[in-house]
Amino acid sequence: KQEVTQIPAALSVPEGENLVLNCSFTDSAIYNLQWFRQDPGKGLTSLLLIQSSQREQTSGRLNASLDKSSGRSTLYIAASQPGDSATYLCAVINYNFNKFYFGSGTKLNVKP
Amino acid sequence: KAGVTQTPRYLIKTRGQQVTLSCSPISGHRSVSWYQQTPGQGLQFLFEYFSETQRNKGNFPGRFSGRQFSNSRSEMNVSTLELGDSALYLCASSPGRDGRQAQYFGPGTRLTVT
């Protein structure tokens, strides 16, 4: 059974810092990996999707990388802003199962 | 394109009652998945529908059921509500036949059971 872990559970940084969020998964037979952002009490906003054949994806200040062999993905946020404060979740979907497995998230607080 | 919409946004029910939640996917999306989110368990997969057929199911009791209509809209029903069913229920839609594509989430329905 696929298990997804996100470390750290919470992170507090001053505005302007570059930061890295981590996601690890136990079964490397994934089809794709998706990063989401969730604001308190709200739904999930899709940030980046990485196909299993890709190594990274970029959108604005965000860059996500994928290393299937080691079962890891990182989300890099450049020049963090207070508006980036939210919970960031990663999810993987395996080749064999049509459902996403979610990590428990990293709660990010960017201080002005 | 309009995003995924869910109704109602908030709901308060008492134990033993039943509830129906609705989800309208992004136009053209045919796959709809449902998730339960609680502080203790995180995001847990309930089920996925494609072309009016349940294609995948999570580990929830039979009190949780769903269906999908010909226009891809989906409903989720929970019967005999328990206090532990209090959660944010999220619906996600996906473009195509392959349920492993990117998922786009709605704002959720916050269900409180008293």
Side-chain angles (χ1 to χ4, degrees), chain A residues 20-38:
Chain A
V20 174
L21 307 181
N22 298 295
C23 171
S24 60
F25 45 94
T26 54
D27 185 348
S28 62
I30 66 169
Y31 187 77
N32 64 41
L33 182 146
Q34 195 167 358
W35 281 95
F36 297 89
R37 166 192 173 131
Q38 185 175 31

Side-chain angles (χ1 to χ4, degrees), chain B residues 2-57:
Chain B
V4 178
T5 58
Q6 292 186 245
T7 57
R9 294 292 313 278
Y10 303 91
L11 207 49
I12 300 175
K13 291 285 188 179
T14 57
R15 275 181 300 176
Q17 286 187 313
Q18 76 163 22
V19 66
T20 299
L21 312 181
S22 180
C23 171
S24 293
I26 292 172
S27 177
H29 286 195
R30 296 168 63 190
S31 168
V32 173
S33 298
W34 288 90
Y35 294 84
Q36 180 195 67
Q37 187 178 32
T38 58
Q41 299 295 320
L43 266 158
Q44 293 189 288
F45 172 79
L46 281 155
F47 27 65
E48 185 231 354
Y49 286 86
F50 178 83
S51 290
E52 303 178 66
T53 301
Q54 187 180 88
R55 191 161 61 173
N56 209 354
K57 189 176 187 303

Side-chain angles (χ1 to χ4, degrees), chain A residues 31-32 34 38 95 98 100, chain B residues 37 56 98 100 103 105-106:
Chain A
Y31 187 77
N32 64 41
Q34 195 167 358
Q38 185 175 31
Y95 272 95
N98 286 343
F100 275 81
Chain B
Q37 187 178 32
N56 209 354
D98 188 344
R100 299 169 297 183
Q103 297 204 335
F105 282 78

